Amino acid sequence: MKIFIDGAFYDQADAKISVFDHGLLYGDGVFEGIRVYNGRVFLMEEHLDRLADSAKAILLKLPLSLAEIREATLETCRQNNLRDGYIRLVVTRGVGNLGLSPDKCPKATIFIIADTIQLYPEKFYEEGLRVVTVPSQRIPPAALSPAVKSLNYLNNIMAKIECQQAGAQEAIMLNHEGYVAECSGDNVFVVKKGVITTPPIWAGALGGLTRSCVITLAKQAGRDLRESMLTRYDLFVADEIFLTGTAAEVVPVVDVDGRSIGNGKPGPVSGDLTRRFRELTRTSGVAIYS
Ligand code: PXG
């Protein structure tokens, strides 16, 4: 595997970052997880835009222009002959000293990994996930905006550990007021009596790009879709629940905190949106190989 670091490609064994990099010392940095389908980078411009917004929000100057990052991303895929996979694009504050002040970090570090990912085994896409609501709340927007895709994932990792301890596959995180925010790395949607609802971004969710796609696809299909606050009760009594994310794609949920969702099997709305999403992934994106 060839990994891009600051303008050059390295074999995996030689792809190393300094122990003084503030991405490692403080989680000071931003990232994107991007899918490649059928030789094309899916939602490439949207990911670059979100990266730029995340960097701007934390006053991080990107070490390359967006056009250069775009080309480096495509070249990393080419170097690895990637046709279907997952790109991890990371920008850290860079190498500094042991103080947390970023003014000692003269230049941001950028690296790009092009690999594969499978978040959940295939059977969960057919049978659905069991999820639990977890004690670790989403960080309040006033503390650190969940819209920033930063390297601070400890909050989400705690949630993941808590759901695994409960024997579930995914965690539903509530916000500081007890409303549903999102999962550890996915957004959440509920279907009730034909109406699809997802928490608004201001509930404390990342503005997921898969979320945006699914909202558009649902509206195109003429479905009633709303962004509004949800409680645990709304999850328990849902007809269907599904999660969306770059890594997870669209995945149905059949159990929340021991309550069976709908008839305990993935429902028709999730199924339909999964098909529409897969169609979109097959037919759009930026070509890697011309
Ligand atoms: N919420 C959070 C907190 C995320 O990290 C999403 C929602 C979905 O956003 P996109 O744009 O991907 O539809 C994410 C996605 C993983 C993993 O292993 C997921 C993410 C990042 C890293 C790993 O599931 N982010």
Side-chain angles (χ1 to χ4, degrees):
M1 192 193 307
K2 294 282 185 198
I3 294 158
F4 177 94
I5 308 176
D6 291 335
F9 286 96
Y10 299 86
D11 287 331
Q12 187 169 343
D14 302 320
K16 293 179 181 159
I17 299 290
S18 166
V19 293
F20 288 95
D21 194 296
H22 280 207
L24 174 63
L25 288 175
Y26 301 112
D28 185 357
V30 296
F31 77 103
E32 285 295 320
I34 308 169
R35 276 271 188 180
V36 173
Y37 295 102
N38 196 20
R40 297 193 190 117
V41 180
F42 187 55
L43 301 177
M44 174 146 223
E45 319 307 338
E46 289 83 351
H47 280 288
L48 290 170
D49 282 351
R50 188 170 64 184
L51 181 79
D53 285 350
S54 293
K56 184 179 184 191
I58 69 162
L59 293 156
L60 172 63
K61 188 178 177 331
L62 295 173
L64 299 173
S65 70
L66 280 191
E68 287 166 335
I69 295 175
R70 187 179 191 277
E71 183 47 36
T73 304
L74 293 169
E75 187 55 30
T76 307
C77 295
R78 290 184 202 115
Q79 292 278 331
N80 293 283
N81 294 317
L82 198 73
R83 286 198 65 83
D84 288 277
Y86 181 80
I87 301 164
R88 179 59 57 91
L89 166 50
V90 183
V91 183
T92 77
R93 191 75 67 178
V95 175
N97 63 17
L98 291 180
L100 59 80
S101 176
D103 66 1
K104 298 294 185 300
C105 306
K107 194 166 186 295
T109 301
I110 178 166
F111 61 89
I112 307 171
I113 308 169
D115 199 358
T116 55
I117 195 170
Q118 191 185 28
L119 203 53
Y120 310 111
E122 188 54 36
K123 74 166 191 147
F124 290 120
Y125 290 85
E126 283 142 31
E127 296 169 12
L129 299 175
R130 287 204 315 111
V131 308
V132 287
T133 55
V134 293
S136 286
Q137 295 176 343
R138 201 70 178 91
I139 292 174
L144 173 65
S145 174
V148 176
K149 204 160 161 60
S150 82
L151 295 181
N152 278 268
Y153 261 62
L154 204 46
N155 179 227
N156 310 61
I157 290 163
M158 288 302 111
K160 193 82 187 179
I161 291 171
E162 288 160 359
C163 87
Q164 287 169 345
Q165 285 179 332
Q169 286 91 40
E170 191 48 78
I172 301 230
M173 302 180 77
L174 308 179
N175 70 14
H176 57 293
E177 293 178 313
Y179 291 100
V180 175
E182 61 177 338
C183 296
S184 68
D186 312 312
N187 293 107
V188 58
F189 288 75
V190 162
V191 187
K192 179 76 173 173
K193 297 192 193 311
V195 179
I196 308 172
T197 308
T198 191
I201 298 306
W202 59 90
L206 178 78
L209 298 180
T210 319
R211 174 185 182 278
S212 301
C213 269
V214 166
I215 289 174
T216 305
L217 291 171
K219 288 183 175 166
Q220 279 170 359
R223 295 191 185 275
D224 188 350
L225 188 142
R226 301 176 194 175
E227 293 182 59
S228 98
M229 292 297 190
L230 294 167
T231 62
R232 292 175 76 224
Y233 171 82
D234 297 312
L235 301 177
F236 299 156
V237 302
D239 297 330
E240 293 182 44
I241 296 176
F242 58 91
L243 313 181
T244 66
T246 299
E249 304 176 294
V250 182
V251 63
V253 169
V254 292
D255 191 288
V256 181
D257 293 339
R259 282 80 162 179
S260 195
I261 302 307
N263 63 4
K265 299 212 161 42
V269 178
S270 316
D272 178 55
L273 289 170
T274 302
R275 275 186 294 280
R276 288 173 192 273
F277 180 72
R278 292 207 170 139
E279 179 64 18
L280 186 67
T281 63
R282 269 199 302 273
T283 54
S284 66
V286 174
I288 299 167
Y289 311 93
S290 45

